[in-house]
Amino acid sequence: MLNENIKAIRKSKGLSQEELALKLNVVRQTVSKWEQALSVPDADMLISLSEVFETPVSTLLGETVAETRADDLSAISEKLEVINLQLARGKAGRQKAAHWFFLSLCAVIVAVFAALVRLNSPYLDWDYGQPETAVVGTMYHAFEWLFVRIAPFALIGAVVGACFTRKRV
């Protein structure tokens, strides 16, 4: 919600990401990350954003009712904590999905290797006098040739990916 509000208000004020970044003394990529919900501005930056946009912080955070609190910074901090927790959950979910993808890729590569070893290149004994057999045999040989050369690197990459994405205790 914060990311959508920042983007909508920035566009309504006719500012580009670069112009907003200059006014806040940050790089354009920072504004982009805020708008993509990859990060959130800290409390001080949120106040600066509200000053640049001439908009209350509560509007940036998505509150529809104007709420007056004695300690605005603590309210902003609470909202940012909730947003940070949501971002952390999303990141953990993506990390878990990537981990299972890499583990599955390892299993598929090993299974295909085992199948190719078990089949022992049957196309070598085929009669290539028929065009259909020649095409299928050539495609089978090309797949086997490419797989045997590329799969070891893919397997190493998948193992490294699985190691880097595993949940740390």
Side-chain angles (χ1 to χ4, degrees), residues 93-107 161-162 165:
R94 287 187 302 274
Q95 182 178 1
K96 185 177 180 180
H99 181 71
W100 283 107
F101 168 77
F102 286 126
L103 288 178
S104 300
L105 183 60
C106 289
T165 58

Side-chain angles (χ1 to χ4, degrees), residues 9-166:
I9 295 171
R10 175 184 60 79
K11 286 186 175 185
S12 72
K13 298 288 184 182
L15 294 172
S16 68
Q17 287 182 344
E18 185 70 33
E19 292 168 334
L20 179 59
L22 286 173
K23 290 184 179 209
L24 296 172
N25 293 322
V26 297
V27 294
R28 185 201 56 79
Q29 288 82 355
T30 302
V31 175
S32 176
K33 285 182 180 180
W34 293 340
E35 290 182 359
Q36 294 176 24
L38 297 175
S39 68
V40 292
D42 62 15
D44 292 333
M45 188 57 68
L46 207 52
I47 292 171
S48 298
L49 267 169
S50 72
E51 291 170 356
V52 168
F53 288 153
E54 299 171 348
T55 305
V57 174
S58 59
T59 303
L60 284 174
L61 293 174
E63 291 180 8
T64 54
V65 178
E67 195 177 297
T68 57
R69 290 181 84 171
D71 191 7
D72 281 343
L73 281 179
S74 68
I76 293 169
S77 295
E78 290 171 12
K79 283 277 195 181
L80 288 175
E81 186 175 339
V82 169
I83 292 169
N84 277 329
L85 285 173
Q86 291 171 343
L87 287 173
R89 282 189 200 120
K91 182 180 178 184
R94 287 187 302 274
Q95 182 178 1
K96 185 177 180 180
H99 181 71
W100 283 107
F101 168 77
F102 286 126
L103 288 178
S104 300
L105 183 60
C106 289
V108 167
I109 290 171
V110 170
V112 171
F113 257 124
L116 288 175
V117 168
R118 177 79 171 110
L119 291 173
N120 197 20
S121 303
Y123 57 86
L124 295 176
D125 297 332
W126 291 355
D127 176 24
Y128 285 87
Q130 297 177 345
E132 294 84 11
T133 306
V135 169
V136 172
T138 303
M139 288 174 42
Y140 191 132
H141 176 70
F143 169 76
E144 184 180 72
W145 186 86
L146 281 172
F147 186 81
V148 167
R149 279 151 184 78
I150 295 172
F153 297 108
L155 182 62
I156 290 169
V159 168
V160 169
C163 290
F164 279 122
T165 58
R166 77 179 189 280

